[in-house]
Amino acid sequence: MILGNMQYSRSPVPFQNFIWVADYWDSTSLFEFDTRNNKHNEFASIEKDKLLAFGYIGEGTQIYFDVANGIFNVNGHRFMISYATEENEYPLTGRTFLYNDIIQYKHASSDANLLTKEENGRFASRIEQYNIGYKKQMQLEGVNINFQCICSIPFRDAIYFQIKITSDKDLDGKLIIRNNGLISEEVHAPLLANMSNNLNWELR
């Protein structure tokens, strides 16, 4: 297993700070870039039905989530998210669901130098943000909830969660974010039926 073993916390690709890793339940792993054969693996090649954990390694860091419960792990810190009203608390992570509808994308930019005569030197590209997470539909206490959580790693800025939640019923409640079981923050987040509520939350 790669994720959870901090021996693997560096990207093997000089021009890419992070690479994704898919750990499977049969103790095998798929890397975005495999140095053994210099092969680049496509995101679409990940076998979602075999996933145990999915995340990034790089910069001395591991950021991943357990597919069995949706809990994010950032260098040993476990982040859990729930939604609470006065009557109920709906655990959005930590349940024995399969969070294998995975998401991974990168934000990149290019600088152009059209004055150079070298064709390969006209554009300089760089990745400015890495994003990894999942989306999940669930039914909790008679409420249908769509939940999406993406961990974003911007270049030279703080890591944050992009949280998106939709309910099929009006709910007046708050998002609760826990770090290692302790509440980090509670954010008032009323939900109107079938309309999404979006929150960016800086990890702390």
Side-chain angles (χ1 to χ4, degrees), residues 78-97:
R78 290 165 55 84
F79 289 90
M80 302 177 67
I81 302 171
S82 63
Y83 187 85
T85 64
E86 290 186 0
E87 297 80 19
N88 294 299
E89 181 168 350
Y90 306 93
L92 304 177
T93 64
R95 301 294 293 263
T96 53
F97 298 139

Side-chain angles (χ1 to χ4, degrees), residues 155-201:
F155 184 61
R156 292 181 179 173
D157 210 341
I159 300 172
Y160 65 97
F161 284 140
Q162 298 181 54
I163 300 170
K164 180 179 178 181
I165 180 172
T166 307
S167 166
D168 66 344
K169 296 181 180 179
D170 290 352
L171 296 173
D172 186 11
K174 56 189 177 182
L175 275 171
I176 302 176
I177 303 170
R178 291 179 170 88
N179 181 352
N180 293 330
L182 301 177
I183 294 177
S184 287
E185 190 159 359
E186 298 182 358
V187 181
H188 185 226
L191 297 176
L192 296 177
N194 303 314
M195 295 186 64
S196 67
N197 192 313
N198 301 277
L199 169 70
N200 289 348
W201 185 80

Side-chain angles (χ1 to χ4, degrees), residues 17-18 56 104-109 126-132 150-160 162 200:
N17 301 83
F18 293 89
Y56 281 134
Q104 188 278 146
Y105 60 96
K106 304 173 182 73
H107 293 159
S109 64
R126 61 181 176 274
I127 298 173
E128 296 186 336
Q129 182 167 294
Y130 295 81
N131 306 277
I132 201 159
I150 295 173
C151 187
S152 296
I153 313 163
F155 184 61
R156 292 181 179 173
D157 210 341
I159 300 172
Y160 65 97
Q162 298 181 54
N200 289 348

Side-chain angles (χ1 to χ4, degrees), residues 34-90:
D34 193 334
T35 57
R36 294 170 299 180
N37 53 20
N38 289 326
K39 178 184 176 184
H40 178 269
N41 290 305
E42 297 294 337
F43 177 69
S45 68
I46 296 171
E47 298 179 76
K48 295 181 181 181
D49 58 335
K50 291 175 57 178
L51 268 179
L52 187 66
F54 184 61
Y56 281 134
I57 61 172
E59 299 291 311
T61 297
Q62 283 199 359
I63 298 171
Y64 65 94
F65 59 88
D66 294 317
V67 170
N69 55 31
I71 296 174
F72 269 91
N73 189 307
V74 181
N75 289 336
H77 293 272
R78 290 165 55 84
F79 289 90
M80 302 177 67
I81 302 171
S82 63
Y83 187 85
T85 64
E86 290 186 0
E87 297 80 19
N88 294 299
E89 181 168 350
Y90 306 93

